[in-house]
Amino acid sequence: MATPEEFEAAAQRAQQLPTKPNNMVLLQMYALYKQASEGDVTGDRPGGFDFKGIAKYDAWASLSGKSQDDARQEYVDLINSLFQGA
């Protein structure tokens, strides 16, 4: 399992990616980060024409029930894989 320190280091590294990931990867990064740091999604789903907010909410909600430890490890693995693929 990734430690909180490894998670924070990965979050810092994510800001330094050599190329911008596609939107699906960005949503995955967002959802894993939120699940790892806050747990299951809270609040109401955005409505109207907030398409970005809806996509982010849905991505996070799709991870409901995943433990914060598992999400933290998956986030670290994802960030590491993005650097290896660059």
Side-chain angles (χ1 to χ4, degrees):
M1 281 295 144
T3 66
E5 294 77 19
E6 290 171 322
F7 175 72
E8 289 303 322
Q12 293 298 319
R13 286 184 72 206
Q15 303 299 316
Q16 302 163 357
L17 286 169
T19 58
K20 182 180 178 184
N22 67 44
N23 287 340
M24 292 305 294
V25 174
L26 287 172
L27 281 172
Q28 185 180 14
M29 288 170 57
Y30 172 82
L32 286 169
Y33 181 87
K34 294 293 275 185
Q35 187 71 18
S37 59
E38 297 182 31
D40 289 346
V41 69
T42 58
D44 294 329
R45 184 176 188 255
F49 293 101
D50 184 4
F51 300 118
K52 185 176 180 180
I54 291 169
K56 290 168 79 173
Y57 183 94
D58 288 349
W60 185 8
S62 74
L63 299 180
S64 288
K66 182 182 292 288
S67 75
Q68 287 181 274
D69 288 339
D70 287 346
R72 186 169 37 242
Q73 183 63 55
E74 288 182 35
Y75 181 82
V76 169
D77 292 344
L78 175 60
I79 299 304
N80 288 340
S81 73
L82 292 174
F83 275 93
Q84 291 170 355

